[in-house]
Amino acid sequence: GNSVTQMEGPVTLSEEAFLTINCTYTATGYPSLFWYVQYPGEGLQLLLKATKADDKGSNKGFEATYRKETTSFHLEKGSVQVSDSAVYFCALSQNTGFQKLVFGTGTRLLVSP
Amino acid sequence: DAGITQSPRHKVTETGTPVTLRCHQTENHRYMYWYRQDPGHGLRLIHYSYGVKDTDKGEVSDGYSVSRSKTEDFLLTLESATSSQTSVYFCAIRPGTGNTEAFFGQGTRLTVV
C-alpha cells in the first residue's frame, strides 16, 4: 500500500540556518505529493505540493522537488525563522481510485533566536 | 478559513459512553475525511465520505462509525468510548481528489477517562 516515511524530530536549528526535512514514499504509479504545516493549537494547512516527477513546489521560502528516481520529496528552506517553528507533515495522494490522502508521522521543527 | 467547523472543540467523556463529533462545511465539497492525530503516528484515516450516504473505512476504523445525510455535515460516532480513543480528531474536506488540496478543521481534543 501507499506510505510516507519522514525523518524523526525534533529538528532544532538556530535562526537563519538551512533546513532539510527528509521524506520518502512508497506508492504505485505517479502520486501527488504534499507538505502540510501545523502550528500549535491549529489544524493542518497546505505548505506546497507537486503533482508530477521533477516538479518543484515552493511557498514562503520553502521548496521541495518531486524525485521519482529516489521516491523522495525533501523539504528545504535556506534561512529559517523563529516563526517557522511548527510540525511538518509529508503526504501523498494517488491520482486514480478514491485517492486517499496518506500522511507521514510529522517532524517537529524548533527554531531558536 | 476554508469554511470548516468542528464541534465540540474539547470534550471529556467516560469510558463506555457514546460520543459524536461533528464536522460542518460551507464549501459544498464532495469529499470529507476524519483523521486522528497521535504522537508518533501522524494522522491516520478513520473514515471518509465521497458523497451523501457514501462512506468507507480508513485504516483505523474499529470502534468508530460515521454518517453523512447532508453534503455539509459529516458525523463521527464512538459507539462506546475507550481510553485508546483519547486523541485529537481532525476533519478535512477536499473539492476533488488526486492533486487537490485538503482543508482541515481546527480539531477536537477528546479525552476518555
Side-chain angles (χ1 to χ4, degrees):
Chain A
N2 299 330
S3 66
V4 174
T5 302
Q6 290 182 237
M7 61 188 290
E8 288 197 22
V11 173
T12 304
L13 296 173
S14 298
E15 204 165 27
E16 299 184 2
F18 183 85
L19 168 71
T20 300
I21 300 178
N22 291 336
C23 171
T24 57
Y25 67 90
T26 301
T28 55
Y30 298 89
S32 292
L33 301 173
F34 305 83
W35 276 101
Y36 282 81
V37 60
Q38 183 181 33
Y39 298 103
E42 298 184 9
L44 279 71
Q45 55 187 276
L46 181 69
L47 180 60
L48 53 85
K49 71 178 183 181
T51 60
K52 59 183 187 295
D54 300 325
D55 266 3
K56 177 185 284 188
S58 60
N59 186 26
K60 300 180 182 180
F62 291 89
E63 294 182 337
T65 301
Y66 188 143
R67 301 286 188 198
K68 179 71 174 174
E69 63 278 11
T70 55
T71 62
S72 64
F73 193 54
H74 304 321
L75 183 68
E76 297 182 336
K77 187 175 186 184
S79 176
V80 293
Q81 305 300 312
V82 172
S83 58
D84 293 327
S85 297
V87 180
Y88 293 82
F89 291 90
C90 186
L92 72 80
S93 177
Q94 289 286 8
N95 294 313
T96 58
F98 181 74
Q99 299 132 25
K100 291 181 285 187
L101 196 54
V102 176
F103 287 87
T105 54
T107 302
R108 182 175 298 277
L109 171 65
L110 301 170
V111 181
S112 56
Chain B
D1 186 353
I4 311 171
T5 304
Q6 290 187 232
S7 58
R9 292 292 313 279
H10 301 273
K11 186 170 181 66
V12 179
T13 192
E14 294 186 350
T15 298
T17 60
V19 177
T20 296
L21 309 183
R22 181 184 184 228
C23 178
H24 177 79
Q25 61 150 327
T26 58
E27 305 298 319
N28 202 37
H29 287 342
R30 179 181 177 190
Y31 299 92
M32 299 185 76
Y33 307 74
W34 276 108
Y35 289 89
R36 60 178 289 175
Q37 183 178 20
D38 304 287
H41 292 279
L43 273 78
R44 293 180 292 176
L45 183 64
I46 306 171
H47 281 279
Y48 56 94
S49 171
Y50 43 96
V52 173
K53 296 193 187 331
D54 291 323
T55 65
D56 205 349
K57 296 178 180 180
E59 58 184 308
V60 290
S61 60
D62 287 349
Y64 302 94
S65 62
V66 290
S67 66
R68 191 168 178 200
S69 58
K70 299 183 290 185
T71 298
E72 58 266 34
D73 288 324
F74 192 32
L75 304 180
L76 176 71
T77 297
L78 289 65
E79 304 290 347
S80 177
T82 67
S83 58
S84 64
Q85 294 175 312
T86 293
S87 187
V88 180
Y89 292 85
F90 285 99
C91 174
I93 63 175
R94 209 172 179 191
T97 54
N99 61 8
T100 60
E101 174 183 357
F103 298 92
F104 284 80
Q106 297 280 71
T108 295
R109 182 174 295 277
L110 177 68
T111 302
V112 183
V113 298

